[in-house]
Amino acid sequence: MSVGLIPARSVRERLLSLPSIDPLIKAAEATGSKGMLDEAMLDLLLVQKEEAVIGRTIAPIAEPELVVPARIHNLDHYRIEDFPMEARDVDSEITVHFDITGNSVTEGKKEDIQACFNDRLKQIRRLIIDGKLPNRPIAINEAVRQRKQLTGRDNSFTIIGLVKESNTTKNGHLRFTIEDATSEVRCMLMQRDEEGPNQEIVHAGLMDDDVIGVTGNFNQDGGTIFVDDIHFPPLKQHKRRTAGSDQAVSAAFISDLHLGSKTFLEPQWQKMMKWFNEDPLAKTIRYLVISGDGVDGVGIYPNQDKHLNIPDLFNQYSRLGTMLQELPDWVEVLLLPGNHDAVRPAEPQPALDPELQTDYNNTMFVGNPCDFSLHGVRVLSYHGVSIMDFVASLRTVTFETPEAAMRAMLDRRHLAPSWGGKTPLSPEPEDRLVIQEIPDIFVTGHVHGHHTETYKGVNLVHSSTWQDQTDYQRMLGFQPKPCILTVVNLHTHAMAAIPFV
Ligand SMILES: [Fe+2]
Ligand SMILES: [Fe+2]
């Protein structure tokens, strides 16, 4: 209560089982977390807590029961006919559409932040208007000026802006403020006993700094808009681009190797290298995309050195390069950085420094996120730090379901909307974390799960890690799904997931 947190009944047991809540309170203060302390926020604060408590090991009171990951041995088998062409028969064809490397221009000043948000608003506003709105949107100051006339159902109007201060009232209604360049106004979306998109939003919540359209009318005192509808950019069924039948090779996806950490799964890696050099499916793989956290890094969290078996950063990168050289020569690697890599943490992140690239062959170093095409198939690869913000903000997303965060990113056309959350953002004058072009394959990592699905025509891949469960994950009762290689054929779009455990 002293820091403005209200514990939900669902976290009571977990709170009581903590040896002390002081570190939790410090973490809440440090992050400015307020409001309902629910399961998701508690998970997040426990992460913060570990980072905040330097030089102290937090032992769990009771070992949470480990749950065997449901999908790992249950992966669908694939048909080799869906992967029709050998990789060595086709020349590499990579076109990069966006990579911040060498293109970051921000100085991180207040004006840069303003420019970034104005650009985001402009880009997503255009997308929302391209959908079907019930009326032409007006500026918020215009709506506020006419609030006396804009009351009652017959006088509904539409505004578009950025969400802030979103929360749920004790009666379950969704309350938030929306702002554009001209002004801001409070809104209320009522919780009702019915189904539909509005109630889905009431249930899920909104993200800070989401760009949305709001149709509604003012209440009698003109202070709040009663919302009829919320508009996200339209996301129609996507028609995937395909590589020609004469280029029907495959791309494979992994991330989060965390090489250098004692929990890197070396024997499983060896198993995959052998497979790469022998298996018929492996012979179709032309590209291997590694979406960040290739190494565990150095100084990423307090006392990390205790968990490292390669304590030197250069040696970690050098070893990774040597290991990737064991891949067959027909495989080209695309390597993105993640939050454990030796580049600035603020997203978009540039590619690794050339100094760290010396022991690699056949590897292309790109930034995070990276938007590129392989034989015309558009791939959006993003390491995925913002998944933690989605978990903290939306009731529909958990650490076990990163795919729900990926769907939410596509729905709001943004990879990391919230400023000031867990994701450090670099305020570039053009906000390139906006998903300008719907990808054919959308891939993330970071939370060490694994999942594949097709969402509105987009192949979603949450790529698997090569790191075993860490002490910290054990404390949280989180079971990763390691050592699964995801393969997607660029001509047929067939997906296969090959476990190496
Ligand atoms: Fe990771
Ligand atoms: Fe990560």
Side-chain angles (χ1 to χ4, degrees):
M1 298 290 276
S2 69
V3 286
L5 283 173
I6 305 155
R9 190 165 298 167
S10 61
V11 299
R12 185 188 150 90
E13 288 304 317
R14 288 178 67 192
L15 282 179
L16 288 172
S17 73
L18 291 172
S20 157
I21 61 163
D22 290 347
L24 203 69
I25 288 173
K26 284 209 186 74
E29 269 169 348
T31 53
S33 306
K34 285 193 168 56
M36 188 62 81
L37 176 59
D38 55 11
E39 297 270 348
M41 189 186 282
L42 184 60
D43 286 343
L44 205 69
L45 288 176
L46 286 168
V47 177
Q48 295 284 346
K49 184 178 90 158
E50 198 193 48
E51 285 169 5
V53 182
I54 298 173
R56 210 167 100 187
T57 310
I58 303 155
I61 293 281
E63 287 258 324
E65 211 173 289
L66 290 186
V67 194
V68 177
R71 284 185 293 246
I72 201 159
H73 298 296
N74 254 342
L75 298 167
D76 288 341
H77 204 65
Y78 62 90
R79 301 184 327 145
I80 194 71
E81 308 88 79
D82 290 335
F83 299 84
M85 182 171 268
E86 293 209 354
R88 55 155 53 104
D89 295 336
V90 176
D91 287 339
S92 147
E93 194 187 306
I94 307 174
T95 313
V96 174
H97 307 288
F98 171 68
D99 175 353
I100 196 70
T101 314
N103 299 315
S104 177
V105 290
T106 183
E107 291 175 35
K109 290 185 181 151
K110 199 172 160 218
E111 304 84 75
D112 293 323
I113 300 171
Q114 244 159 20
C116 182
F117 277 97
N118 283 337
D119 181 65
R120 176 191 302 185
L121 183 54
K122 196 170 115 202
Q123 288 190 59
I124 300 181
R125 179 188 158 87
R126 194 175 302 140
L127 294 170
I128 294 173
I129 291 175
D130 285 348
K132 278 209 166 57
L133 289 178
N135 29 43
R136 193 179 59 80
I138 56 174
I140 295 180
N141 66 348
E142 183 66 21
V144 172
R145 205 163 51 77
Q146 295 186 46
R147 62 187 179 278
K148 289 270 167 344
Q149 292 87 41
L150 296 176
T151 54
R153 277 256 164 174
D154 299 338
N155 294 309
S156 68
F157 59 94
T158 300
I159 51 176
I160 298 176
L162 292 146
V163 171
K164 63 179 194 179
E165 293 156 2
S166 162
N167 56 51
T168 303
T169 68
K170 64 176 190 304
N171 297 325
H173 308 310
L174 183 68
R175 190 166 49 188
F176 57 95
T177 298
I178 181 160
E179 89 179 309
D180 66 8
T182 67
S183 190
E184 62 178 57
V185 63
R186 274 195 312 232
C187 302
M188 177 88 101
L189 178 61
M190 308 300 271
Q191 195 257 336
R192 292 186 210 285
D193 199 10
E194 60 187 31
E195 286 180 6
N198 280 347
Q199 293 310 308
E200 282 170 25
I201 295 167
V202 169
H203 170 65
L206 289 165
M207 304 274 293
D208 271 351
D209 308 316
D210 268 343
V211 177
I212 58 167
V214 169
T215 300
N217 49 75
F218 276 102
N219 65 350
Q220 280 310 323
D221 74 14
T224 301
I225 296 174
F226 282 127
V227 178
D228 296 330
D229 280 306
I230 286 185
H231 314 278
F232 282 110
L235 185 63
K236 301 195 187 89
Q237 186 68 18
H238 176 66
K239 195 167 173 337
R240 285 188 298 266
R241 287 147 281 210
T242 55
S245 58
D246 56 342
Q247 300 173 26
V249 291
S250 311
F253 301 90
I254 51 173
S255 63
D256 300 274
L257 276 52
H258 290 269
L259 185 73
S261 120
K262 287 177 184 165
T263 39
F264 170 66
L265 292 160
E266 175 99 34
Q268 289 80 347
W269 180 268
Q270 299 302 348
K271 202 167 159 184
M272 180 170 71
M273 286 300 117
K274 190 169 150 53
W275 178 90
F276 253 108
N277 285 284
E278 292 172 4
D279 192 89
L281 179 63
K283 293 196 168 32
T284 76
I285 298 173
R286 188 72 182 78
Y287 307 96
L288 174 64
V289 180
I290 304 179
S291 298
D293 287 358
V295 302
D296 204 50
V298 168
I300 305 296
Y301 59 90
N303 296 319
Q304 186 189 13
D305 47 338
K306 288 193 196 125
H307 302 138
L308 295 177
N309 60 4
I310 309 178
D312 179 85
L313 188 69
F314 283 90
N315 292 344
Q316 290 181 5
Y317 281 109
S318 163
R319 176 86 187 103
L320 178 61
T322 318
M323 275 174 21
L324 293 173
Q325 286 180 22
E326 288 169 32
L327 285 164
D329 56 10
W330 60 78
V331 180
E332 180 151 359
V333 177
L334 280 99
L335 187 69
L336 282 80
N339 55 312
H340 279 252
D341 282 278
V343 296
R344 75 167 188 207
E347 299 174 5
Q349 295 179 284
L352 291 179
D353 201 86
E355 268 184 82
L356 300 168
Q357 301 180 5
T358 48
D359 294 304
Y360 293 75
N361 61 15
N362 238 359
T363 298
M364 184 169 166
F365 296 87
V366 293
N368 167 46
C370 189
D371 171 11
F372 57 96
S373 292
L374 303 173
H375 304 273
V377 174
R378 193 94 172 209
V379 183
L380 177 60
S381 175
Y382 168 55
H383 178 58
V385 168
S386 74
I387 293 170
M388 297 192 290
D389 288 320
F390 281 85
V391 171
S393 308
L394 301 183
R395 283 182 209 98
T396 41
V397 186
T398 66
F399 282 110
E400 283 76 21
T401 57
E403 62 274 17
M406 296 175 75
R407 286 184 225 121
M409 290 176 200
L410 285 174
D411 286 341
R412 61 217 340 104
R413 297 291 187 95
H414 205 283
L415 294 173
S418 301
W419 180 271
K422 287 292 284 181
T423 318
L425 297 173
S426 173
E428 305 293 337
E430 187 187 353
D431 184 357
R432 291 303 302 259
L433 298 177
V434 173
I435 303 174
Q436 296 178 340
E437 182 79 29
I438 298 293
D440 305 311
I441 302 172
F442 178 30
V443 51
T444 64
H446 184 63
V447 290
H448 299 201
H450 177 263
H451 186 80
T452 60
E453 69 173 51
T454 305
Y455 175 61
K456 297 200 177 168
V458 180
N459 284 340
L460 304 186
V461 175
H462 184 73
S463 60
S464 171
T465 175
W466 237 263
Q467 185 179 35
D468 203 357
Q469 191 185 44
T470 61
D471 291 350
Y472 179 57
Q473 289 167 342
R474 187 169 301 123
M475 186 185 94
L476 294 181
F478 178 77
Q479 176 69 57
K481 298 187 180 77
C483 306
I484 303 171
L485 180 75
T486 311
V487 185
V488 183
N489 186 270
L490 300 173
H491 174 60
T492 62
H493 278 285
M495 293 200 271
I498 317 296
F500 292 93
V501 284

